[in-house]
Amino acid sequence: MTVNKTVDPESLKLFAKQTATLVENAMHQDLDQALIATDPLLRETLEHSLFNGGKRIRPLLVILSSRICGKTDNSSHLLAAAFEYLHVATLIHDDVIDGAKERRGVPSLVQSHGLAAAILTGDWLHARSMQLIGKIAGNRALEVFCHATTGMVDGEYLQIRHTGNPNTSEQQYFSVIARKTGGLIASACEIAGIFANASDEQIKALVAYGTNLGIAFQIVDDLLDYLGDQKSTGKKIGQDLVEGKMTLPLIRALANANTDEITLFKTLFSNPDQRAENLSLIKEIILKNDGFNSARATAEESIENAINALSLFTDQNENTSYAMLKGLALYVISRDK
Amino acid sequence: MTVNKTVDPESLKLFAKQTATLVENAMHQDLDQALIATDPLLRETLEHSLFNGGKRIRPLLVILSSRICGKTDNSSHLLAAAFEYLHVATLIHDDVIDGAKERRGVPSLVQSHGLAAAILTGDWLHARSMQLIGKIAGNRALEVFCHATTGMVDGEYLQIRHTGNPNTSEQQYFSVIARKTGGLIASACEIAGIFANASDEQIKALVAYGTNLGIAFQIVDDLLDYLGDQKSTGKKIGQDLVEGKMTLPLIRALANANTDEITLFKTLFSNPDQRAENLSLIKEIILKNDGFNSARATAEESIENAINALSLFTDQNENTSYAMLKGLALYVISRDK
């Protein structure tokens, strides 16, 4: 009898949904405790931002990573919630910086409630997330969490530095995404391991899984920016390009492109209006120079590395946490939203 | 021989200056450690915001409060730095919210480096401060610190709610300042006590000292907004009024004013331009109705309460931490900047 080591997608989806509900319950309970005698507008802005159909991938990673190390404690739901808090805080502040009008198909907080509310609600979530991490998982976890947070800020700074620069290198791209996306995802896995009193070896494996998953997650995001369907992603196609972000498909394509194509691209890329108007033409240059395939191959390789990192967890049967984490990695590479 | 229980102001000033230097050294060392391989602009924005002549009152409170409980450990300087980090993070984000062009006589960060830098640098300081508090003073301290932080956010929300409302009550005013200013100052004293392994009684005394000091500090700020000298304070006179903030001198004056004065005030207060144009007239209404004296009396009472709270610390001779904390309280009430 062969063992199916991957959970079937429907079971994973069901588990993810159940987990999301438990984590959302933990968030509601936590807000009820934290928001006694506070301004009602604070609750309104928190609920607007927290309960609008997020994928809850970071919380799911926390739950699965602590379970794979043998910890099924109920407080893991609140620990998981802390990651969603920080993630949402980042999104709220990002939307202020980018002047984004929408988030997940509804008005962004800065759009619906203004600048002050967006900055303050982000700050509130920031502080609350750190309080929960320290309380539930201790100081070592807090160090990891805060390091991931300051790293995200640094990643944003690096991204701003490279924005609009058509010569952005692959190394610069990976520096940014490791900090902006990879750090928090890896820290979710690492902190869950710390919370579960896992061995150093197990924690190292979880960090490797999370780091690779984070890289793949971001590359897929970058691909969806060009190839996605707005109805699924909820994001306008070509947004990264219009903002002047040099993502992997583009960097890979330019490495293959001929001089004429590079010259043409640099002209088209030189200002936001031209970038918006010439999305199709730039997509063609990427396609012709294998940028999409090459980026996807790298994402697939990262997913393979992520899954291989978990090999030391020996209980790999269907419906184990191992199978779920593997299934989650396979979802990340195949997702269309 | 009578014992002079208050430090002489020059000795306090010297101690405060020496402490500020030690805390600034701790900040520089911490940044050197934290900013390895990060974007150079992040360091630039942090230095712009952190080293521009702040009074360093919160760090001084941390040092004195831990010393009064018998702890003279060197790590208290880094603990103190964490409070300056959080304070500066708050100022940076406040300046974004208020669209403030200046801070301490130099361009505010949002003015000099833009919106993204101001939001991100505030976030960085936020996360770093919490990491340091957890690491140096442990989880109980982190709880207090995060609670003070979420409280400041709530205080901002309340303030926004009351802004422009001429009927703001004294109770509403005190709710705002307890959260916006008092919370962080009280938490500096409390966390220093926790760090020093002080008894519950000692910590309670420090919290009472800090809470009262914070109230007095804010009332004096409110008085300086009307009565200060821009050359000393570095702030434009009447700024709070122009922004529509109902502070204690005004609230107290309206409680004494006759119907004609109240009607006149409400008309003048109804929009920012009128508030700016009629600063002198509004000042007259406050003066005539004893608003400044009444607010100052409350600040003085708070300072008395703050000093009385420290009575359980029995080593009260000149140049002890007791005498310094008392001297600091007397400075707060007499300061002109």
Side-chain angles (χ1 to χ4, degrees), chain A residues 6-7 12 209 307 322-332:
Chain A
T6 308
V7 69
L12 175 64
Y209 171 83
I307 294 170
Y322 171 87
M324 297 269 193
L325 284 168
K326 186 174 169 185
L328 180 59
L330 296 173
Y331 161 74
V332 160

Side-chain angles (χ1 to χ4, degrees), chain B residues 86-152:
Chain B
L86 181 62
H87 175 54
V88 169
T90 314
L91 298 181
I92 293 172
H93 282 182
D94 276 359
D95 286 345
V96 175
I97 292 170
D98 300 338
K101 293 198 168 21
E102 283 203 359
R103 169 66 64 184
R104 293 171 184 156
V106 299
S108 63
L109 189 61
V110 63
Q111 180 71 15
S112 66
H113 289 75
L115 181 66
I119 291 181
L120 293 170
T121 301
D123 287 350
W124 192 96
L125 285 167
H126 221 209
R128 188 71 183 174
S129 69
M130 290 177 195
Q131 183 173 357
L132 293 175
I133 296 289
K135 189 174 179 173
I136 301 169
N139 255 327
R140 183 178 160 196
L142 180 71
E143 288 265 326
V144 173
F145 194 69
C146 291
H147 191 255
T149 310
T150 53
M152 282 196 287

Side-chain angles (χ1 to χ4, degrees), chain A residues 199 201-203 205-206 308-316 322:
Chain A
S199 70
E201 213 189 352
Q202 288 175 320
I203 291 175
L206 287 170
N308 288 339
L310 299 180
S311 61
L312 85 166
F313 295 100
T314 48
D315 189 2
Q316 303 187 346
Y322 171 87

Side-chain angles (χ1 to χ4, degrees), chain A residues 37-39 45 93 96 117 119-121 123-124 126-127 131 134-135 139 143 146 150 153-154 157-158 161 179, chain B residues 37-39 45 93 96 117 119-121 123-124 126-127 131 134-135 139 143 146 150 153-154 157-158 161 179:
Chain A
T38 57
D39 194 287
T45 58
H93 282 183
V96 175
I119 290 181
L120 293 169
T121 302
D123 287 350
W124 192 96
H126 221 210
Q131 183 173 356
K135 189 174 180 174
N139 255 328
E143 287 265 327
C146 291
T150 53
V153 168
D154 183 43
Y157 265 102
L158 284 172
R161 179 170 297 277
R179 288 166 172 82
Chain B
T38 56
D39 193 289
T45 58
H93 282 182
V96 175
I119 291 181
L120 293 170
T121 301
D123 287 350
W124 192 96
H126 221 209
Q131 183 173 357
K135 189 174 179 173
N139 255 327
E143 288 265 326
C146 291
T150 53
V153 168
D154 183 41
Y157 265 103
L158 284 173
R161 179 171 298 276
R179 287 166 172 82

Side-chain angles (χ1 to χ4, degrees), chain A residues 248-265:
Chain A
L248 195 60
L250 204 42
I251 293 169
R252 288 279 168 81
L254 291 179
N256 284 339
N258 62 38
T259 322
D260 287 353
E261 287 168 328
I262 292 173
T263 309
L264 172 62
F265 169 75

Side-chain angles (χ1 to χ4, degrees), chain A residues 15 19 23 56-69 71-73 75-84 133 136-137 145 184-196 206 209 213 321 325 328:
Chain A
F15 182 81
T19 303
V23 171
R56 315 292 190 207
I57 286 182
R58 290 154 195 83
L60 182 60
L61 278 171
V62 172
I63 302 295
L64 288 172
S65 298
S66 56
R67 283 166 70 113
I68 204 173
C69 299
K71 181 116 168 178
T72 55
D73 194 303
S75 64
S76 64
H77 296 120
L78 192 53
L79 183 71
F83 280 88
E84 195 68 5
I133 296 288
I136 302 170
F145 194 68
L184 185 59
I185 290 181
S187 80
C189 299
E190 183 171 6
I191 288 170
I194 294 169
F195 167 70
L206 287 170
Y209 171 83
L213 189 75
S321 298
L325 284 168
L328 180 59

Side-chain angles (χ1 to χ4, degrees), chain A residues 266-285:
Chain A
K266 288 191 176 173
T267 311
L268 300 179
F269 191 71
S270 61
N271 77 61
D273 288 344
Q274 283 196 336
R275 294 195 290 260
E277 283 160 20
N278 293 287
L279 174 61
S280 309
L281 192 47
I282 291 171
K283 257 171 92 167
E284 258 174 58
I285 296 175

Side-chain angles (χ1 to χ4, degrees), chain B residues 26-63:
Chain B
M27 293 200 282
H28 280 299
Q29 278 177 27
D30 182 58
L31 293 181
D32 284 344
Q33 272 187 24
L35 297 179
I36 293 168
T38 56
D39 193 289
L41 193 57
L42 174 58
R43 179 184 281 273
E44 185 182 310
T45 58
L46 285 166
E47 292 188 343
H48 175 99
S49 311
L50 287 170
F51 305 106
N52 63 359
K55 294 188 285 285
R56 315 292 190 208
I57 286 183
R58 290 155 194 82
L60 182 60
L61 278 171
V62 172
I63 302 296

